[in-house]
Amino acid sequence: MTVLKLNHPINRSFNGWVEDILNELPSSSGTSRENALLPMVNISENKDSYNLVMAAPGRNKEDFRINLEKNILTISSDITPQGNDDEKQIRKEFNFQPFKRSFTVDDKIASDKIGASYENGLLKLHLPKNEEMKPSVKQIVIS
């Protein structure tokens, strides 16, 4: 089905352009707009652990909930915008939205040793590997 848009480009607001872009982003689950508003995550691995870093500025560490249940690590925040009834909003370009992100954690992770910290807008999770999962170097002696 073809949808005809009647908005003249000159008369379009900036918000209209942004809405179109956000609504056209690819999605793996949920709507495209919901995924576009999720905090971005970097995950790295070294020989001893996995490290997850989430960009979530403007929050306090108390605003986060981190749960591990049945190999699903869930990070969420229910922070909502604080409005001031005495002020008229003239322009609003950012907003704090609640979010929830989930990640599958396998048996390689020592779930009882997971640690988290929040500093300068970055939520950092340290996911240590189980001892038996760490790569070991074994010296073979030639006889």
Side-chain angles (χ1 to χ4, degrees):
M1 178 169 95
T2 303
V3 177
L4 179 61
K5 292 186 179 181
L6 299 176
N7 295 333
H8 192 275
I10 294 174
N11 295 333
R12 296 206 51 192
S13 69
F14 178 74
N15 289 340
W17 289 103
V18 172
E19 289 291 325
D20 285 349
I21 292 169
L22 291 177
N23 288 328
E24 292 175 11
L25 290 173
S27 173
S28 59
S29 66
T31 66
S32 299
R33 183 166 173 82
E34 287 172 352
N35 285 342
L37 296 175
L38 290 175
M40 291 186 263
V41 173
N42 292 337
I43 301 174
S44 61
E45 176 185 12
N46 60 41
K47 65 178 182 156
D48 296 322
S49 65
Y50 294 93
N51 295 295
L52 183 147
V53 179
M54 176 181 284
R59 291 171 164 80
N60 297 310
K61 66 180 183 177
E62 296 82 16
D63 295 330
F64 295 99
R65 280 193 323 276
I66 304 170
N67 298 317
L68 180 63
E69 183 178 352
K70 296 182 182 178
N71 292 343
I72 303 293
L73 177 69
T74 303
I75 304 168
S76 62
S77 175
D78 289 333
I79 190 172
T80 55
Q82 299 289 329
N84 187 344
D85 295 335
D86 297 337
E87 293 181 344
K88 176 183 174 187
Q89 193 74 40
I90 297 171
R91 181 178 202 135
K92 189 170 187 173
E93 293 185 341
F94 69 91
N95 198 357
F96 295 108
Q97 297 291 328
F99 71 86
K100 183 176 184 179
R101 298 228 31 202
S102 296
F103 304 90
T104 302
V105 177
D106 60 19
D107 295 335
K108 294 179 186 178
I109 303 298
S111 59
D112 58 331
K113 296 179 182 175
I114 294 175
S117 64
Y118 180 73
E119 183 178 355
N120 297 327
L122 298 175
L123 178 65
K124 298 178 182 181
L125 274 72
H126 179 75
L127 303 133
K129 293 180 182 178
N130 282 321
E131 291 297 322
E132 61 270 8
M133 296 296 177
K134 290 182 187 176
S136 61
V137 177
K138 188 173 188 178
Q139 183 69 32
I140 308 297
V141 179
I142 303 172
S143 53

